[in-house]
Amino acid sequence: MFKHYYRSNNWKIARFLFNSFAVLILIFLITPVLVIIPLSFNKSSFLTYPIDGFSLDWYKAFFASDAWIGALKNSFIIAPIATLLATVLGTFAAIGVAKNNFRGKMLFMSIIMSPMVTPIVIIAVGLYFFFAQLKLTNSYLGLILAHTVLGIPFVVITVSAALRGYDENYSRAATSLGASPFIVFRTVTFPLIAPGVISGALFAFATSFDEVVVTLFLASSSQRTLPMQMFSGIRENIEPTIAAAATIMLISSAALLLSIEYLRRRNDRLRKPLH
Amino acid sequence: MEQTLEHQQRLKKRLNKSGRKKRWISRFLVIPAIAFLVFFFLIPLGDILCKSIINPEIHKNLPTTLEALKNWDGKSTPDEEVFRALVNDLREARKQGVAGAIGRRLGYEDDKYRVMISATLRRLPAPQVTDVKSTVIKASPLWQEPSTWQTIQWSSSVLTSRYLLQSFDYKIDPQTGKLTPITIKIHNEEVANYHVKILFRTLWMSFIITFFCIVIGYPLAYWLACQPTKRANLFLILVLLPFWTSLLVRTTGWYILLQSNGLANYLLQFLNIVDHPTSFIPGRFAVYIAMIHILLPFIVLPLYAVMRGISSSHLRAAISLGAHPVYAFFTAYVPQTYAGLRAGILLVFIMAIGYYITPALLGGPADQMISYFINYYTNETNNWGLAAALSVQLMAIVIVLSWIYSKISYRRRKA
């Protein structure tokens, strides 16, 4: 009986409209990201279409500019250290919270998750005043600590998700064979949850690599990161070097996305034999 | 029998003991992260929230003046002793480099007091001067007014409600002790309800953004969920790639598209919708469209996850029983997605109200949200108490919303 609906012309029109709507939204989602790439290879010194011709001038300008290279370097100093700290602290916390029920667990979890929902400006202002007292503003250490705070929740979420798929019987089997808890963790648990830990680390890295508000509050020009340099670039003089920088950032985020997808697939594959 | 009972009890005890040990190990593993977050997140957060009610500038920096003022009748110009104490306090404050804080704090009450303090500091009488009172009054005649001293006394309390009241555009009048509305002067124009308007603007903009994210995101998630897995994964990349792309890259993209000689204007002119380029930047439209773009994945991805788990047979069953497809969709399908939808809505709304970067880059002065003003009062005017009070406003909304969020997701987990 309902075939009648699917065959009616109205239905076909509705389906067509729905499909085009979805395609339009997908175009809406991807256009602002893709529109930058051609401009970074543009000959003209304006960030506008149509394109005059192909040139690598803006990439040369990017790699010749002390401001951009300094910013890139700073990002690659701050993000990895913050990632390492967040990953270690977050992984331990996730393991601690995962399977055991203890009093205060809910409180612990809400403390761990709170940096994610707190508006970033409030965190920035709070850290600004707090770090000013500790003489940590305008220092790498201050930025690393701040980015670690922002990264921890992401690590805890991904590692917790990985632990949810981890079968506790593996640990029990290893223990019954005489392994100490540390050996169990190192040789059994960790290798199995490693994809979760690594994707948590990638999330933390992406958070730090993309963070700008806290950096604007805490950093002086000598700790300027890539997003901070882009922020002031858009604000002050928008020129095609920004397009080159954006394309470089875009490629790195695509690489991050692909690695996380790969790890997720691998994790799913590893889990399959259990069920 | 007795032996087995004893055996059981012993086993139970050992089980309890190992359970306790495990719980302690768990706590021990969580503690580093908690300690880190308490120190580098909760304490700074608490500190900034407390700044909205703490009022240290006057009672800390003018201690002897306040002590001397205790004997003052409150109506006439105070006597020589008070002035002497004032000069001592100001000299001490200048030596410690905190004199600016006094002027700034009194300036919040009225800008003329900031000028008064700086004028007095410039012409502070030398220690050997005997007639301190007249020298100080010569530096600034305002010192003669009893109202000046009333203001100093008024603003010397350790705790204050003034910033929180000010963030709702009210103040307590020092003379009458009554709540009075304040107006703010902008470009020689008296603006009433300044901060309340900002609050409502923030909520309204977040509401609009959330609304469009649902209107656009729900059908998209449904469409993706209807596709065969392989194709859905391919299209999902188009959602995930912008989601992973740096916020600033996306904002730059919108800047390029929406600028007056950008592609959007080119298209509008090509389609003959407008005959001369409109400027979207800075403007509310640019902020809306960029923020919808940035936050859309946050509603599409959870909805898609929920929708993939819903069997299409429910819908087909409803239609085969005679329901119109549209009716069937809204009664058999949509209610099953409510949990994901509610979570997505709250997530988008919570993120939207705290936004700073996108409005700052694409919006004009009338498109800024609370975050912008928190930054403004912190870094531009150094009115930290007011910045803190606005943070309290924003934080209160976020806490209420995330409490609702946790209730919802908890219920979902139980179900």
Side-chain angles (χ1 to χ4, degrees), chain A residues 2 19 22 25 29 32 36 47 96 100-101 108 114 118 125 127 129-130 206 210 212 217 227 234 250 253 257 260, chain B residues 23 26 30 39-41 48 216 223 242 244-249 252-254 259 261 293 319 357 375 379 384:
Chain A
F2 58 85
N19 282 339
I25 299 303
L29 274 169
I36 303 167
L47 254 181
N100 304 292
N101 272 312
F108 278 11
S114 50
T118 308
V125 178
L127 285 174
F129 285 118
F130 187 65
D210 192 22
V212 57
F217 273 79
I234 302 172
L250 188 62
S253 45
L257 166 66
I260 288 180
Chain B
R23 276 197 294 278
S26 290
V30 178
F39 198 69
F40 292 113
F41 175 72
I48 181 70
I216 300 171
W223 185 80
W244 269 95
T245 305
S246 161
L247 192 79
L248 284 157
V249 173
T252 316
W254 280 112
Q259 60 190 332
N261 47 0
H293 178 252
I319 295 172
I357 292 296
N375 174 47
N379 286 321
W384 298 327

Side-chain angles (χ1 to χ4, degrees), chain B residues 8 64 91 116-117 152 155 178 186 206 223 249 331 352 370 375 379 384:
Chain B
Q8 271 179 359
T64 47
R91 200 173 283 132
M116 170 188 84
I117 293 286
I152 290 177
S155 47
K178 273 186 191 148
I186 300 163
S206 310
W223 185 80
V249 173
T331 50
I370 294 183
N375 174 47
N379 286 321
W384 298 327

Side-chain angles (χ1 to χ4, degrees), chain B residues 157-176:
Chain B
S157 56
V158 184
L159 297 178
T160 181
S161 59
R162 67 157 289 127
Y163 301 116
L164 285 173
L165 288 174
Q166 198 183 350
S167 71
F168 290 99
D169 303 294
Y170 276 96
K171 68 168 181 185
I172 293 176
D173 195 283
Q175 264 90 37
T176 56

Side-chain angles (χ1 to χ4, degrees), chain A residues 126-198:
Chain A
L127 285 174
Y128 172 67
F129 285 118
F130 187 65
F131 281 0
Q133 287 160 29
L134 300 177
K135 303 255 181 301
L136 278 174
T137 48
N138 304 336
S139 74
Y140 286 105
L141 182 61
L143 281 175
I144 288 167
L145 292 172
H147 285 187
T148 306
V149 167
L150 299 175
I152 288 175
F154 290 100
V155 177
V156 174
I157 287 177
T158 43
V159 177
S160 299
L163 281 166
R164 227 170 283 140
Y166 173 74
D167 194 331
E168 199 63 28
N169 283 327
Y170 287 144
S171 304
R172 289 205 193 97
T175 313
S176 77
L177 291 171
S180 72
F182 178 70
I183 298 286
V184 172
F185 177 76
R186 203 179 55 113
T187 58
V188 180
T189 315
F190 188 77
L192 280 171
I193 61 163
V197 176
I198 296 169

Side-chain angles (χ1 to χ4, degrees), chain B residues 31-52:
Chain B
I31 279 168
I34 296 291
F36 188 87
L37 287 179
V38 165
F39 198 69
F40 292 113
F41 175 72
L42 285 185
I43 291 176
L45 187 70
D47 180 51
I48 181 70
L49 296 183
C50 285
K51 273 202 167 59
S52 66

Side-chain angles (χ1 to χ4, degrees), chain B residues 213-262:
Chain B
C213 281
I214 303 163
V215 170
I216 300 171
Y218 197 94
L220 181 64
Y222 179 66
W223 185 80
L224 283 170
C226 289
Q227 303 300 315
T229 313
K230 265 241 164 87
R231 209 190 298 166
N233 277 342
L234 194 69
F235 284 127
L236 209 57
I237 290 178
L238 298 181
V239 182
L240 282 170
L241 187 66
F243 175 71
W244 269 95
T245 305
S246 161
L247 192 79
L248 284 157
V249 173
R250 281 182 281 175
T251 310
T252 316
W254 280 112
Y255 191 97
I256 289 167
L257 282 172
L258 294 175
Q259 60 190 332
S260 50
N261 47 0

Side-chain angles (χ1 to χ4, degrees), chain B residues 144-157:
Chain B
Q144 225 166 345
E145 309 283 335
S147 64
T148 305
W149 296 96
Q150 275 167 0
T151 309
I152 290 177
Q153 259 184 336
W154 171 251
S155 47
S156 70
S157 56

